[in-house]
Amino acid sequence: MPDAIEVRKVPIHSVADASELAKLIDDGVMAADRVIAIIGKTEGNGGVNDYTRIISDRAFREVLIEKGAPADQVRQIPIVWSGGTDGVISPHATIFATTDADPTDEPRLTVGFAMSEQLLPEEIGRTPMVTKVAEAVKDAMAKAGITDPADVHYVQTKTPLLTIHTIRDAKSRGKTVWTEHTHESMDLSNGCTALGIAVALGEIEMPTDADVMHDRSLFSSVASCSSGVELDRAQIVVVGNAPGVGGRYRIGHSVMKDALDADGIWAAIKDAGLDLPDRPRTSDLNGRLVNVFLKCEVSQDGEVRGRRNAMLDDSDVHWHRQIKAAVGGVTAAVTGDPAVFVSVSAAHQGPDGGGPVAAIVDLG
């Protein structure tokens, strides 16, 4: 049985700051050698060349080593950074560590991690990627002690996107790639990964190559997929609940039906186990919400609730940044805290124009 989980959210005070992680360790909240995953938001542009993710990754790993965790172990920790804190979103990190706790029959938070086989550039956006991701998700579930896919509430991934270098590599071997537009490949990698998650959890049947990025009725309600230049395989973090683990925390999920669906956020918080009134207010949370994790996407019809918007036509500011800021504002209005994990590029992650929401709460 996996160990119980301690989870805390900390602010990031500058792009290379990891001082709040150091403080948690110094205060005895968690041990450096028991940190197993970190998921956070950095303040870069969120694009292909967003190197704030690499800077933050280095800062957090250096603190763990400085505080006594073995370097080889630290190198294997999944640290998933989503770049771009548009609007009111505040840079922060959510840190997961194992801890000692009495086992309980009540389902409590559990985390599993796995890496897929190497993803070749010609596989990004195609069924071989779906298959490799699905296999890794099942591996991570087993490590989390989860046997029922219904107990999985959040799957955070990091996968490679296409760069000029990897496109050239594929061509040199006589292969083709799905797209030669590197920024578009971010959406592609995320969407294809989400389909792999959905297959692993039995949410959909195996799709075809033609379905990827085209059939938006195929999606996962728990996938949160990010991509970047940092790695060449899928990094999978499965978060769910399992009996016998023990601890104070529990996770739940729902979906936002569109960019304004605050009720979808509240539904995820309630699903995690908080007893809230029918029409809750931020004050009803009483400090028991650790964090929420969302993906968002511009609706392909260019509308929200029947009203036209110009995000997809805007040549000055990419729609990635606009929808992230909009959903970040809606989310912060619910939680009362701008340090929320809102990530864009949600193809096949929740319904078109909406996205999955996961919430972690402290049940005490």
Side-chain angles (χ1 to χ4, degrees):
M1 178 60 63
D3 290 329
I5 299 295
E6 179 66 43
V7 55
R8 297 294 178 96
K9 179 173 68 177
V10 298
I12 297 175
H13 300 296
S14 66
V15 69
D17 173 61
S19 61
E20 296 291 342
L21 169 60
K23 190 178 298 183
L24 285 179
I25 297 168
D26 290 341
D27 291 345
V29 175
M30 54 182 61
D33 61 356
R34 301 194 71 173
V35 172
I36 59 169
I38 299 172
I39 299 171
K41 291 293 299 182
T42 67
E43 60 202 78
N45 62 23
V48 175
N49 65 333
D50 183 353
Y51 297 109
T52 64
R53 298 186 297 239
I54 297 174
I55 294 170
S56 289
D57 188 274
R58 179 177 298 175
F60 274 72
R61 293 187 197 275
E62 286 176 351
V63 164
L64 291 174
I65 294 171
E66 177 187 325
K67 297 298 181 180
D72 288 345
Q73 176 182 318
V74 170
R75 279 192 286 270
Q76 300 303 313
I77 295 173
I79 302 183
V80 180
W81 297 109
S82 170
T85 50
D86 303 272
V88 299
I89 301 171
S90 184
H92 68 279
T94 304
I95 303 160
F96 299 83
T98 59
T99 189
D100 297 320
D102 293 331
T104 173
D105 291 335
E106 292 295 320
R108 290 294 184 266
L109 187 73
T110 182
V111 178
F113 165 67
M115 294 287 281
S116 76
E117 295 179 32
Q118 182 182 6
L119 293 167
L120 300 174
E122 61 266 25
E123 295 175 333
I124 294 174
R126 293 167 175 158
T127 50
M129 182 178 188
V130 174
T131 299
K132 289 181 178 181
V133 168
E135 291 172 351
V137 170
K138 292 176 181 178
D139 186 17
M141 280 179 60
K143 291 176 180 176
I146 297 174
T147 56
D148 185 350
D151 291 326
V152 175
H153 294 275
Y154 177 46
V155 183
Q156 178 65 58
T157 66
K158 192 75 175 186
T159 52
L161 44 70
L162 292 169
T163 67
I164 296 301
H165 173 75
T166 58
I167 292 169
R168 188 182 301 122
D169 170 64
K171 289 182 174 181
S172 72
R173 293 181 285 103
K175 306 294 183 180
T176 64
V177 293
W178 199 94
T179 179
E180 294 191 21
H181 297 284
T182 58
H183 198 272
E184 181 184 32
S185 77
M186 177 182 296
D187 298 336
L188 174 68
S189 182
N190 291 355
C192 194
T193 301
L195 291 174
I197 294 168
V199 168
L201 301 181
E203 296 177 283
I204 64 170
E205 298 296 325
M206 185 69 185
T208 66
D209 282 348
D211 292 327
V212 179
M213 302 301 290
H214 293 114
D215 187 349
R216 296 299 181 104
S217 70
L218 302 177
F219 64 82
S220 170
S221 61
V222 298
S224 177
C225 304
S226 183
S227 54
V229 298
E230 303 97 314
L231 68 175
D232 64 355
R233 60 196 66 216
Q235 182 174 265
I236 312 286
V237 181
V238 166
V239 188
N241 300 312
V245 174
R248 299 160 41 191
Y249 303 96
R250 184 177 164 94
I251 188 169
H253 80 277
S254 184
V255 295
M256 290 181 75
K257 296 176 182 177
D258 60 36
L260 301 179
D261 186 18
D263 286 344
I265 303 170
W266 284 115
I269 297 170
K270 290 179 179 179
D271 188 55
L274 288 192
D275 186 14
L276 297 171
D278 289 339
R279 298 300 300 172
R281 301 167 62 93
T282 301
S283 57
D284 295 319
L285 295 173
N286 291 322
R288 293 174 296 170
L289 178 66
V290 178
N291 205 3
V292 288
F293 305 84
L294 297 87
K295 292 293 292 189
C296 58
E297 180 89 351
V298 168
S299 178
Q300 296 297 294
D301 63 9
E303 296 183 353
V304 175
R305 301 193 182 184
R307 296 290 192 181
R308 182 177 71 89
N309 63 72
M311 285 186 281
L312 290 173
D313 292 324
D314 194 329
S315 298
D316 294 315
V317 181
H318 195 275
W319 66 262
H320 275 196
R321 311 202 71 162
Q322 298 189 49
I323 192 65
K324 192 188 310 175
V327 174
V330 171
T331 306
V334 168
T335 66
D337 182 359
V340 289
F341 187 93
V342 178
S343 176
V344 76
S345 186
H348 301 299
Q349 298 153 74
D352 183 37
V357 187
I360 297 176
V361 301
D362 184 348
L363 296 178

